[in-house]
Amino acid sequence: MKVSEIMTPAAVADRAEDTLIEAARKMWEQQTGSLLVMDGETLLGIITERYILKAVATRSPLDATPISEVMAKDLVTVHPGASLREAAGIMTDKWIRHLPVVEKGKLVGILSQRDLAGVLGSALNEPEALAQLVESSQLARDRRLRRIERGVWD
């Protein structure tokens, strides 16, 4: 199965100069955990609920802090023709929950953990497929616990 088969075709976009409170409001209204930050057709970065939570925890003024100050700018992306196994591996290795999908330099969608969970839900009906998934991957819970132990909070 390919990324293009389950990605969200229209990514939610926001402007780098918008504030964190505006980003949080938009995420809530659109029931999404991330916003892709664009300048025209150029992908500048991504802001996620995790970055907003960090801003709250560090007492950043949400109504005055622009998205550009906290967004991830060094983005990892995936091609729509990539396999779901490859995309899931990238997301697990890089500890990210939202993966922009780019083709020929243009944003074409986004793949989220929620998208992958839908596929996993289907695989639960196929014991052989599920066994192969479990055998070939490291449990995310174990990785998360190690990150907490090391104090990694990105």
Side-chain angles (χ1 to χ4, degrees):
M1 186 173 267
K2 303 289 181 198
V3 167
S4 61
E5 296 175 61
I6 69 164
M7 68 182 190
T8 303
V12 179
D14 225 322
R15 299 178 329 202
E17 62 270 12
D18 286 347
T19 65
L20 294 181
I21 197 94
E22 291 167 321
R25 187 175 296 117
K26 187 174 271 189
M27 283 183 203
W28 177 253
E29 289 168 356
Q30 297 184 9
Q31 290 296 291
T32 186
S34 67
L35 296 172
L36 295 171
V37 184
M38 306 291 293
D39 181 15
E41 291 190 14
T42 303
L43 179 59
L44 298 178
I46 188 169
I47 180 85
T48 68
E49 58 209 352
R50 192 181 300 170
Y51 291 107
I52 293 174
L53 183 59
K54 182 178 180 181
V56 169
T58 59
R59 300 184 192 273
S60 296
L62 301 182
D63 58 346
T65 304
I67 291 171
S68 60
E69 282 188 24
V70 297
M71 71 182 184
K73 298 172 187 164
D74 197 16
L75 295 179
V76 176
T77 63
V78 69
H79 186 272
S83 71
L84 291 187
R85 180 182 299 264
E86 179 184 350
I90 291 168
M91 293 171 81
T92 300
D93 291 343
K94 300 294 184 183
W95 204 258
I96 55 177
R97 296 178 291 167
H98 306 93
L99 185 59
V101 183
V102 175
E103 184 173 31
K104 297 180 184 171
K106 293 194 182 225
L107 179 69
V108 295
I110 191 160
L111 182 69
S112 71
Q113 280 185 335
R114 187 174 297 134
D115 300 324
L116 292 173
V119 172
L120 178 60
S122 297
L124 291 174
N125 295 325
E126 300 176 28
E128 292 169 5
L130 181 59
Q132 186 178 10
L133 280 172
V134 171
E135 185 178 309
S136 67
S137 66
Q138 197 177 35
L139 292 177
R141 179 182 175 276
D142 294 338
R143 294 189 75 224
R144 179 173 175 251
L145 292 174
R146 284 196 304 277
R147 288 172 58 86
I148 290 169
E149 289 169 2
R150 291 191 326 258
V152 178
W153 306 109
D154 53 338

